Amino acid sequence: MSSSNSPTPTTNRHLPTVFKFLTLWNRELASYFQSAIAYVVLFFFLLATGWNFQWVVTLINTAPTDVSVIQGFFNNFFFWFPFVLIFPLITMRTFSEEFKMGTIETLMTSPVTDLQVVLSKFAGAVVFYLILWVPSLLYFVIFQSVTAASAAVSPGSVWGSYAIILLLGMFYISIGCFASVLTNNQIIAAVISGVSVALFFFLGVVSLFTLDMNQSLRDVLSYFSAIDHMGTFSKGIIDSRPVVFYLSMTALFLTFTYHIFQRRKWKA
């Protein structure tokens, strides 16, 4: 009789922690839509992805090709350029604004932990990032409804592409959060984040253009290649190595962010 009732106190003890996190997460997500930068990012990102999709469809209709509309949309210059640029804009204010405005002191007098603050800010940025991608699903739904090819958009390719989009986004957002916690200035945070994300991205690009590179070095660099990973996942092939890599790197940068946040909080 006592064993059947034992989980109840444990569950109740953890409920306040969940509610605190959800409250912080809701606060962070709402703050995006209270800022003009969110709507600017939404507008230009939708403009860029819409134009990219129209360009890919036109290209496919112009001449026969083995590349599907999914592969074409998610792996070209017009996709990667705005993709890399959005992360500094999404994350530059996450911590720097709190320290600059002094609201971090009010936040930390609340009954919340440092870990809850860091994870809620990260989760808020990730959800806003996912909101950016929701309209793009309509492109493929509409394309599938009007095209004569029954397999024009395979479910495996769609799920694979959006899975790697999520993993890449989590990794780059964690870099942006780390950059934001380093400074009170949003512009400096955006520059640090943008340069860091670009370095990780172009580290993988090097292996595609350097023909005389040692094969072992090429293999190592290709492990960092977002382009290679997108090419694999957009075919509906789920490779566990990028999954482990991006989740591990996300956890690493969030750990850095957590420790820097603790240090700056006590100094403040």
Side-chain angles (χ1 to χ4, degrees):
M1 191 75 179
S2 60
S3 60
S4 62
N5 295 329
S6 58
T8 304
T10 303
T11 304
N12 291 336
R13 187 168 62 248
H14 288 289
L15 281 177
T17 301
V18 175
F19 288 149
K20 290 174 187 176
F21 172 79
L22 291 176
T23 300
L24 289 170
W25 169 77
N26 183 65
R27 171 182 178 269
E28 293 303 319
L29 186 59
S31 68
Y32 279 97
F33 295 97
Q34 294 168 359
S35 170
I37 189 67
Y39 300 97
V40 172
V41 172
L42 275 167
F43 174 77
F44 283 104
F45 190 72
L46 289 176
L47 189 66
T49 55
W51 188 90
N52 179 31
F53 185 80
Q54 187 271 337
W55 177 78
V56 169
V57 171
T58 302
L59 193 65
I60 290 176
N61 289 333
T62 301
T65 178
D66 295 331
V67 177
S68 69
V69 67
I70 293 282
Q71 293 170 290
F73 176 77
F74 283 109
N75 219 349
N76 65 73
F77 173 81
F78 300 110
F79 166 80
W80 288 114
F81 183 72
F83 179 79
V84 172
L85 286 181
I86 62 172
F87 295 101
L89 299 176
I90 292 175
T91 60
M92 64 182 184
R93 56 172 298 279
T94 48
F95 291 93
S96 59
E97 184 72 5
E98 297 273 15
F99 284 106
K100 180 181 179 181
M101 302 300 294
T103 53
I104 194 65
E105 297 177 7
T106 304
L107 177 62
M108 296 317 300
T109 55
S110 305
V112 296
T113 65
D114 296 345
L115 183 60
Q116 289 171 346
V117 172
V118 171
L119 292 181
S120 64
K121 287 182 176 294
F122 170 74
V126 169
V127 172
F128 178 74
Y129 166 76
L130 292 177
I131 290 173
L132 293 177
W133 286 105
V134 170
S136 66
L137 287 168
L138 296 176
Y139 303 158
F140 304 109
V141 172
I142 295 171
F143 181 81
Q144 184 72 6
S145 65
V146 300
T147 186
S150 59
V153 179
S154 69
S157 296
V158 173
W159 286 113
S161 299
Y162 282 94
I164 196 65
I165 283 293
L166 174 60
L167 291 169
L168 279 166
M170 292 171 61
F171 174 39
Y172 291 158
I173 287 171
S174 69
I175 294 175
C177 288
F178 175 67
S180 183
V181 83
L182 294 174
T183 176
N184 294 357
N185 191 304
Q186 293 187 46
I187 303 302
I188 295 176
V191 171
I192 296 173
S193 174
V195 170
S196 301
V197 168
L199 284 175
F200 273 104
F201 178 77
F202 285 110
L203 187 63
V205 174
V206 170
S207 63
L208 301 177
F209 296 101
T210 309
L211 299 178
D212 58 348
M213 182 183 294
N214 179 275
Q215 185 60 42
S216 298
L217 180 58
R218 183 190 295 273
D219 292 339
V220 171
L221 291 177
S222 65
Y223 189 75
F224 296 90
S225 177
I227 295 177
D228 281 353
H229 300 157
M230 179 60 75
T232 301
F233 277 67
S234 63
K235 295 175 183 177
I237 302 171
I238 306 300
D239 187 350
S240 61
R241 291 173 299 175
V243 175
V244 173
F245 171 72
Y246 289 124
L247 291 180
S248 300
M249 293 299 289
T250 299
L252 178 64
F253 274 95
L254 287 178
T255 301
F256 291 158
T257 303
Y258 170 73
H259 288 295
I260 296 297
F261 176 71
Q262 282 191 312
R263 183 179 178 182
R264 292 201 64 198
K265 181 195 71 174
W266 290 115
K267 283 187 175 182

